[in-house]
Amino acid sequence: MSKNYKKEALAGFFMALPTIIGLIILNFYPLCRTVYMSFFQSGSFGKWKFVGLDNYTKMFQSSGFWKVTGNTLLFMVYTVPVTVIGGLLIAVLLDQKIKGKTVFRAIYFLPMVVAPAAVAMVWKWLFNTDFGIVNLTLKALHLPSGINWISDPKTALLACALVTIWSSVGYDAILLLSGLQGISRTYYEAARIDGASSFQQFKKITLPLVSPTLFFVLIMRIMASIKVFDIVYMMIEKTNPAIRSCETILYNFYQETFVKNNKGYGASMVVWCVILISIITLIQFIGQKKWVTYDV
């Protein structure tokens, strides 16, 4: 091993060291600490009692636990397909030669930088039963209106999902746009010479070549949907009759840990959330071999 190689390896190690330390302090240690806490029951004055797997047994035997897991998965089904497909369509449109492209990108990305509290407050007004623009628009279109969007158990989770889709689709579109701009234009020129239609170009060129970025966006979106907390917390108040139909895993974790002071049980909820994300991500990595194209 040459001296230059050792120097370059050492320099690379020290450059990566801050990130490694950050990951250990901010990710690895909290994860290990959470797993450790899930085997204990918290008491008063900071006392902890080892209970083994009791928290997990209690959690899996609770009907409420399966309810919040079902709500979380339903929220994922509501948001992920619409956000990813919508983001892809917006990215394709932004990749065309149109005037004001930069302005459109900023407009679509804007919801992502708005504070969730402000987003929730505005959307609660939009969903107002009597004066909200959503019901007024439905009424103008002669569709069923007067819907109690955020207080009806049948629509409350859907309302939270719509807000999430609105605030996330622009971010996904920007990520997918970066993938689209990495595709060489020579492929499209060759396809046009061969007489391929726009749909054929999208199907045979765009979709396969943007699939790695699409796969990344899909993973990140699924993780975000399973970890949803802020929108539900701010949209649905504790006294709302629809609260049970909107509780997600992390919302339940918050209630158990910081309201009921049941930190051990709350930690087991977080561990379950990590396991659920890991299972779905693993399935995605297995399935991606059939539709993601890495080699051109």
Side-chain angles (χ1 to χ4, degrees), residues 13-34:
F13 173 76
F14 280 111
M15 290 175 73
L17 190 59
T19 303
I20 295 171
I21 293 173
L23 286 173
I24 292 173
I25 295 175
L26 300 176
N27 294 84
F28 185 71
Y29 173 74
L31 177 63
C32 294
R33 180 69 180 171
T34 302

Short mmCIF file of all heavy atoms in Angstrom, two decimals, residues 13-34:
data_model
loop_
_atom_site.label_atom_id
_atom_site.label_comp_id
_atom_site.label_asym_id
_atom_site.label_seq_id
_atom_site.Cartn_x
_atom_site.Cartn_y
_atom_site.Cartn_z
N PHE A 13 -11.21 9.54 5.51
CA PHE A 13 -11.78 9.14 6.79
C PHE A 13 -12.12 10.36 7.66
O PHE A 13 -13.21 10.45 8.24
CB PHE A 13 -10.80 8.23 7.54
CG PHE A 13 -11.24 7.89 8.93
CD1 PHE A 13 -12.25 6.97 9.17
CD2 PHE A 13 -10.65 8.53 10.03
CE1 PHE A 13 -12.67 6.67 10.45
CE2 PHE A 13 -11.05 8.23 11.31
CZ PHE A 13 -12.06 7.30 11.53
N PHE A 14 -11.19 11.32 7.72
CA PHE A 14 -11.43 12.50 8.56
C PHE A 14 -12.54 13.38 7.96
O PHE A 14 -13.25 14.07 8.69
CB PHE A 14 -10.14 13.31 8.72
CG PHE A 14 -9.23 12.74 9.77
CD1 PHE A 14 -8.02 12.16 9.43
CD2 PHE A 14 -9.60 12.75 11.12
CE1 PHE A 14 -7.20 11.61 10.39
CE2 PHE A 14 -8.78 12.21 12.09
CZ PHE A 14 -7.57 11.62 11.73
N MET A 15 -12.67 13.38 6.64
CA MET A 15 -13.75 14.16 6.02
C MET A 15 -15.13 13.54 6.33
O MET A 15 -16.13 14.24 6.48
CB MET A 15 -13.53 14.24 4.51
CG MET A 15 -12.35 15.12 4.12
SD MET A 15 -12.01 15.10 2.37
CE MET A 15 -13.37 16.05 1.74
N ALA A 16 -15.14 12.19 6.41
CA ALA A 16 -16.42 11.51 6.70
C ALA A 16 -16.71 11.41 8.18
O ALA A 16 -17.84 11.11 8.58
CB ALA A 16 -16.39 10.10 6.09
N LEU A 17 -15.69 11.69 9.02
CA LEU A 17 -15.84 11.51 10.47
C LEU A 17 -16.96 12.35 11.08
O LEU A 17 -17.75 11.81 11.89
CB LEU A 17 -14.51 11.82 11.16
CG LEU A 17 -14.44 11.45 12.65
CD1 LEU A 17 -14.70 9.96 12.83
CD2 LEU A 17 -13.07 11.84 13.23
N PRO A 18 -17.11 13.64 10.73
CA PRO A 18 -18.23 14.41 11.32
C PRO A 18 -19.59 13.79 11.03
O PRO A 18 -20.46 13.75 11.91
CB PRO A 18 -18.09 15.79 10.66
CG PRO A 18 -16.65 15.88 10.28
CD PRO A 18 -16.25 14.49 9.89
N THR A 19 -19.77 13.29 9.82
CA THR A 19 -21.05 12.66 9.47
C THR A 19 -21.26 11.37 10.27
O THR A 19 -22.37 11.10 10.76
CB THR A 19 -21.09 12.35 7.97
OG1 THR A 19 -20.88 13.55 7.24
CG2 THR A 19 -22.44 11.76 7.58
N ILE A 20 -20.18 10.59 10.41
CA ILE A 20 -20.28 9.34 11.17
C ILE A 20 -20.64 9.63 12.63
O ILE A 20 -21.52 8.98 13.21
CB ILE A 20 -18.95 8.56 11.08
CG1 ILE A 20 -18.70 8.12 9.63
CG2 ILE A 20 -18.97 7.35 12.01
CD1 ILE A 20 -17.32 7.53 9.40
N ILE A 21 -19.96 10.63 13.21
CA ILE A 21 -20.24 11.00 14.61
C ILE A 21 -21.68 11.47 14.74
O ILE A 21 -22.40 11.10 15.69
CB ILE A 21 -19.26 12.09 15.09
CG1 ILE A 21 -17.85 11.51 15.16
CG2 ILE A 21 -19.67 12.63 16.46
CD1 ILE A 21 -16.78 12.54 15.46
N GLY A 22 -22.13 12.28 13.78
CA GLY A 22 -23.51 12.76 13.81
C GLY A 22 -24.52 11.63 13.74
O GLY A 22 -25.51 11.62 14.46
N LEU A 23 -24.26 10.66 12.87
CA LEU A 23 -25.17 9.52 12.74
C LEU A 23 -25.22 8.70 14.03
O LEU A 23 -26.28 8.24 14.45
CB LEU A 23 -24.73 8.62 11.57
CG LEU A 23 -25.01 9.16 10.16
CD1 LEU A 23 -24.37 8.27 9.13
CD2 LEU A 23 -26.51 9.23 9.93
N ILE A 24 -24.05 8.54 14.66
CA ILE A 24 -24.00 7.76 15.91
C ILE A 24 -24.77 8.47 17.02
O ILE A 24 -25.58 7.86 17.73
CB ILE A 24 -22.53 7.52 16.34
CG1 ILE A 24 -21.86 6.57 15.34
CG2 ILE A 24 -22.47 6.95 17.75
CD1 ILE A 24 -20.36 6.40 15.56
N ILE A 25 -24.54 9.80 17.14
CA ILE A 25 -25.17 10.55 18.23
C ILE A 25 -26.66 10.76 17.98
O ILE A 25 -27.49 10.61 18.90
CB ILE A 25 -24.47 11.92 18.40
CG1 ILE A 25 -23.02 11.70 18.86
CG2 ILE A 25 -25.22 12.80 19.41
CD1 ILE A 25 -22.21 12.97 18.94
N LEU A 26 -27.03 11.08 16.73
CA LEU A 26 -28.41 11.48 16.45
C LEU A 26 -29.30 10.32 15.99
O LEU A 26 -30.52 10.45 16.01
CB LEU A 26 -28.42 12.58 15.38
CG LEU A 26 -27.67 13.87 15.76
CD1 LEU A 26 -27.66 14.84 14.61
CD2 LEU A 26 -28.30 14.51 16.99
N ASN A 27 -28.71 9.23 15.51
CA ASN A 27 -29.53 8.14 15.00
C ASN A 27 -29.30 6.82 15.74
O ASN A 27 -30.25 6.22 16.26
CB ASN A 27 -29.25 7.93 13.50
CG ASN A 27 -29.70 9.12 12.67
OD1 ASN A 27 -28.99 10.09 12.54
ND2 ASN A 27 -30.89 9.04 12.11
N PHE A 28 -28.04 6.38 15.75
CA PHE A 28 -27.75 5.04 16.27
C PHE A 28 -28.01 4.96 17.78
O PHE A 28 -28.69 4.04 18.26
CB PHE A 28 -26.31 4.66 15.95
CG PHE A 28 -25.96 3.26 16.35
CD1 PHE A 28 -26.49 2.17 15.65
CD2 PHE A 28 -25.14 3.01 17.43
CE1 PHE A 28 -26.18 0.87 16.02
CE2 PHE A 28 -24.83 1.71 17.82
CZ PHE A 28 -25.36 0.65 17.11
N TYR A 29 -27.47 5.94 18.54
CA TYR A 29 -27.66 5.90 20.00
C TYR A 29 -29.14 6.03 20.39
O TYR A 29 -29.63 5.24 21.22
CB TYR A 29 -26.83 7.00 20.67
CG TYR A 29 -27.12 7.12 22.15
CD1 TYR A 29 -26.66 6.15 23.04
CD2 TYR A 29 -27.89 8.17 22.65
CE1 TYR A 29 -26.95 6.23 24.39
CE2 TYR A 29 -28.19 8.25 24.00
CZ TYR A 29 -27.71 7.28 24.87
OH TYR A 29 -28.01 7.36 26.20
N PRO A 30 -29.90 7.00 19.81
CA PRO A 30 -31.32 7.07 20.17
C PRO A 30 -32.09 5.79 19.85
O PRO A 30 -32.98 5.39 20.60
CB PRO A 30 -31.84 8.25 19.32
CG PRO A 30 -30.65 9.09 19.09
CD PRO A 30 -29.51 8.14 18.96
N LEU A 31 -31.73 5.13 18.71
CA LEU A 31 -32.41 3.88 18.37
C LEU A 31 -32.12 2.80 19.41
O LEU A 31 -33.05 2.12 19.88
CB LEU A 31 -31.96 3.42 16.97
CG LEU A 31 -32.54 2.09 16.51
CD1 LEU A 31 -34.06 2.18 16.39
CD2 LEU A 31 -31.94 1.67 15.16
N CYS A 32 -30.84 2.66 19.76
CA CYS A 32 -30.47 1.65 20.77
C CYS A 32 -31.12 1.98 22.12
O CYS A 32 -31.60 1.08 22.83
CB CYS A 32 -28.95 1.59 20.93
SG CYS A 32 -28.09 0.99 19.47
N ARG A 33 -31.15 3.25 22.47
CA ARG A 33 -31.75 3.67 23.75
C ARG A 33 -33.25 3.39 23.75
O ARG A 33 -33.81 2.96 24.77
CB ARG A 33 -31.50 5.17 23.94
CG ARG A 33 -32.06 5.75 25.23
CD ARG A 33 -31.32 5.25 26.44
NE ARG A 33 -31.86 5.82 27.66
CZ ARG A 33 -31.52 5.43 28.88
NH1 ARG A 33 -30.63 4.46 29.04
NH2 ARG A 33 -32.04 5.98 29.94
N THR A 34 -33.90 3.60 22.61
CA THR A 34 -35.34 3.34 22.52
C THR A 34 -35.65 1.86 22.67
O THR A 34 -36.59 1.48 23.38
CB THR A 34 -35.88 3.86 21.17
OG1 THR A 34 -35.60 5.24 21.05
CG2 THR A 34 -37.37 3.64 21.06
#
